[in-house]
Structures are given as C-alpha cells and as structure tokens.
C-alpha cells in the first residue's frame, strides 16, 4: 500500500512589536518521503514516522532589518572584520508574478539553480510578521516561462549580493540594479528565542556596522522599483 506524501505549512499571524523597520519572517518547509508498506503495518514504526514528520515541521523564524547604505566599501570592511571573512558573492535575478494574494517570485541564482517563493506580509511601517513557502528548482528559466504565460510578470529585481555570516545573523550587502546599495540583516532565530531577542541582536549589529535608524527602509526592492525610487 502506498501512503500519499504529506506536506503542511504552518501559517503565522501578523503583528507589530516596535516602531523600527524590522521584518519578522516565518518560514516553513517540510516534506516526507513516500513510504511503501508490504504485509502488515507495524504500528510502532508508523508512530515513529509520524513523530519524525512532526519534528520536520518545526517553524523557523528570522528577524530582518533593511537599510540604505551610503558607503558600501566601509560597510563591507566592518562586516568582513566582524565575520572574519571577505563574504560570498551571490548573483540573484528575482522575477515577481501577478498574484491575487501575497507575493510570488522566482529567484534565479544564475547558476541553473533557483527558488520559487510565495510570501505574505502587511505593507505597513515597523515590524512585519510574514509567512513564507519556498520550493527549490533546478530549471528556473523554464519555470519562469511557464509562470509568465500563466500569471504575467509584475516586475524584476537584479542584484549582486555579498553575504557575511556573523554569529546567528546573515548580513547582506546588496547592489540593486536601478536602486543602489542596501544592507539586510537576517537574524536566524533559535527555538528558545523570542522576537525581542532577535530584535536586540539586530539592533546591536546595526550599531557595530554603523547603520543609522534614519537609513532604515520599508518594503521589498520590488516595491521601491515600482515606486520609482
């Protein structure tokens, strides 16, 4: 007997926690392989499989901050010193598709790998609680063509990202075509941490990296491009 594949996405709720431009992203990816049973079903094995499936659905969260960078060279020097690395260069081409609810984008890493990403978040100032669903693809070009025909393209964002890892935080220095230089902090939350803990980590890094509150921005790069920034 062939049991069907199970997958689930645990939805987050939107909330506001402070006046700062901070995005809290809730991501969840889970999948379970197909299991074939021959003969009698072992109840104990089934329970263990269900337990492993439940554990694979643990919710992951990020606290995010985005800001404009006036001196990318100085920022890179500070990030390199804190991370003790020169960072990793990543090319990204994001295509946003028309979507009735939330946002749907295809991220092409320009190396025959990509991600199809759906997310929802409120377009408001301050902290944002978002929910994410991500699916990898090994053929982003073909997928882009299909989705373009089916949904239509809303817009595109091309950027070169320099990634630094500082503790539990992913630090992005982005050069965005048509916009300029920006930085993003993604604090990868631990299970025992609260949103306030993540905000504290992000705010401490802002100080160390020389990021002022006045430089903080709201919205995605696609929003800024559509607004003509």
């Amino acid at each position: 007997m062939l049991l069907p594949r199970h997958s689930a996405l645990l939805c987050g709720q939107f909330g506001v926690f402070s006046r700062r431009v901070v995005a809290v992203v809730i991501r969840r990816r889970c999948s379970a392989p197909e299991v074939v049973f021959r003969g009698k079903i072992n109840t104990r094995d089934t329970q263990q499989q269900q337990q492993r499936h439940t554990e694979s659905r643990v919710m992951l969260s990020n606290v995010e901050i985005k800001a404009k960078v006036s001196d990318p060279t100085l920022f890179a020097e500070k990030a390199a010193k804190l991370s003790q690395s020169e960072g990793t260069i990543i090319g990204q081409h994001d295509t946003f598709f028309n979507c009735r609810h939330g946002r749907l984008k295809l991220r092409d890493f320009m190396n025959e790998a990509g991600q199809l990403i759906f997310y929802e978040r409120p377009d408001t100032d301050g902290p944002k609680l978002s929910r994410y669903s991500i699916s990898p693809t090994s053929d982003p070009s073909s997928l882009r063509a299909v989705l373009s025909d089916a949904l239509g393209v809303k817009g595109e964002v091309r950027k070169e990202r320099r990634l630094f890892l500082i503790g539990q935080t992913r630090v992005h220095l982005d050069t965005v075509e048509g916009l300029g230089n920006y930085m993003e902090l993604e604090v990868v939350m631990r299970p025992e941490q609260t949103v306030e803990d993540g905000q504290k980590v992000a705010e401490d890094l802002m100080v160390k990296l020389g990021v002022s509150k006045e430089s903080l921005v709201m919205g995605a790069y696609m929003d800024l491009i559509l607004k003509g920034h």
Side-chain angles (χ1 to χ4, degrees):
M1 179 176 64
L2 179 64
L3 296 182
R5 183 188 306 269
H6 297 276
S7 63
L9 174 65
L10 186 61
C11 298
Q13 294 182 344
F14 298 134
V16 176
F17 298 91
S18 74
R19 296 188 182 89
R20 298 183 178 86
V21 183
V22 181
V24 180
V25 178
I26 302 299
R27 289 191 182 87
R28 175 145 181 220
R29 287 173 290 176
C30 61
S31 62
E34 294 180 344
V35 181
V36 178
F37 292 99
R38 292 184 175 84
K40 296 182 179 180
I41 296 178
N42 187 313
T43 303
R44 182 178 179 182
D45 290 344
T46 302
Q47 292 174 342
Q48 291 176 343
Q49 290 162 357
Q50 290 175 343
Q51 181 179 358
R52 288 194 296 269
H53 180 63
T54 301
E55 291 173 350
S56 70
R57 300 199 304 258
V58 174
M59 182 178 292
L60 302 178
S61 61
N62 290 342
V63 169
E64 298 186 358
I65 292 179
K66 180 182 295 182
K68 181 75 175 176
V69 175
S70 58
D71 190 339
T73 301
L74 179 60
F75 182 90
E77 290 175 354
K78 292 181 178 180
K81 183 177 180 179
L82 290 172
S83 67
Q84 297 183 349
S85 75
E86 294 302 315
T88 303
I89 303 298
I90 306 172
Q92 295 182 352
H93 174 198
D94 293 345
T95 303
F96 286 77
F97 302 96
N98 295 317
C99 187
R100 186 174 181 181
H101 300 291
R103 306 183 190 198
L104 181 67
K105 69 179 178 182
L106 176 65
R107 171 159 291 171
D108 189 341
F109 293 109
M110 315 304 292
N111 60 358
E112 299 184 354
Q115 295 174 332
L116 183 62
I117 305 170
F118 171 78
Y119 65 98
E120 292 180 312
R121 72 182 180 203
D123 292 323
T124 58
D125 291 332
K128 302 174 182 67
L129 182 63
S130 304
R131 57 179 182 178
Y132 255 77
S133 180
I134 302 176
S135 178
T137 176
S138 59
D139 192 357
S141 296
S142 294
L143 185 56
R144 182 186 298 109
V146 172
L147 290 173
S148 297
D149 290 342
L151 303 175
V153 174
K154 183 178 181 179
E156 299 180 50
V157 177
R158 298 176 184 271
K159 62 179 178 287
E160 181 181 85
R161 168 163 289 177
R162 189 170 175 182
L163 168 64
F164 302 90
L165 300 177
I166 303 176
Q168 67 185 98
T169 306
R170 295 169 57 90
V171 179
H172 303 152
L173 176 57
D174 293 336
T175 300
V176 187
E177 186 176 299
L179 290 180
N181 300 300
Y182 291 79
M183 77 93 211
E184 288 183 345
L185 303 182
E186 285 187 4
V187 182
V188 181
M189 303 291 289
R190 302 188 183 104
E192 72 277 8
Q193 289 180 308
T194 65
V195 172
E196 289 76 16
D197 293 333
Q199 287 179 302
K200 181 63 167 54
V201 173
E203 289 165 1
D204 288 346
L205 260 183
M206 282 177 58
V207 174
K208 294 177 180 178
L209 292 169
V211 178
S212 66
K213 295 180 181 179
E214 292 73 23
S215 65
L216 296 177
V217 297
M218 60 174 285
Y221 294 133
M222 186 74 262
D223 299 328
L224 298 177
I225 289 175
L226 291 176
K227 290 178 181 178
H229 287 255

